[in-house]
Amino acid sequence: DGGTFVFNESSADLDFRIESNGAENMFFVDAGNDRIGINNASPSKTLDVTGTFKVSGDTDIDGGNFVFNQAGASVDFTAETNTLPFAFFIDGSADKIGFGTNSPANGLVEINQANTSGAIACLSLDQDDQDQAFVHFDGTTGSGSTASISTSTDSGGSKVGALKIKVGDDFRYIRIYDSAV
């Protein structure tokens, strides 16, 4: 009542554990390695939780790296917003990323507007640093760009490639030239 409780004041290498009704190591202190295990008798980190856990309130991760799924398991990751359940989604089994979708299928990264009113753009790019490239693309030139959106060839330069886009059910190409008109 109002005091301080200290266990192992002399810093002895003696482990400490608390059992629950169904878990032998519900709380385990590995004294020799300075680690705590929750439902884990062999903690590999300062705090090692085996099973599920929930954090209510603010969480501050300050310093160091944050790695999700370092073991490379087929698990998903979801970040939600107030109204968008899949604002950011990683599909662990398909190795794909979705924004606004939990089933990215059309590419490594898929952006789904997830808004039927059409009041917002799917992607907005803003380039404040004007002496840097706005979009950087590494790849090979497109030689099969026959269905061009623009039929004009008066560019003042040579065609170096094309961006292939899908409009409705048809693929179209935006031609890229090595100099401006």
Side-chain angles (χ1 to χ4, degrees), residues 61-132:
I61 300 173
D62 190 14
N65 296 321
F66 179 77
V67 178
F68 173 78
N69 194 19
Q70 189 170 19
S74 179
V75 294
D76 298 338
F77 176 85
T78 303
E80 299 182 4
T81 64
N82 185 40
T83 60
L84 191 58
F86 301 104
F88 179 74
F89 179 79
I90 296 175
D91 186 333
S93 62
D95 295 332
K96 293 184 178 183
I97 298 170
F99 293 90
T101 179
N102 67 335
S103 55
N106 296 317
L108 177 64
V109 176
E110 180 176 334
I111 301 173
N112 185 317
Q113 188 181 46
N115 182 331
T116 58
S117 71
I120 61 171
C122 273
L123 177 65
S124 175
L125 302 173
D126 186 359
Q127 173 63 320
D128 289 336
D129 189 355
Q130 295 183 12
D131 63 346
Q132 295 296 318

Side-chain angles (χ1 to χ4, degrees), residues 8 12-17 28-35 41:
N8 198 15
D13 186 1
L14 298 172
D15 296 341
F16 173 79
R17 71 183 172 91
F28 182 86
V29 176
D30 181 343
N33 293 308
D34 297 326
R35 296 176 180 161

Side-chain angles (χ1 to χ4, degrees), residues 146-162:
T146 56
S148 177
I149 287 177
S150 170
T151 58
S152 173
T153 58
D154 185 17
S155 67
S158 301
K159 187 177 89 163
V160 294

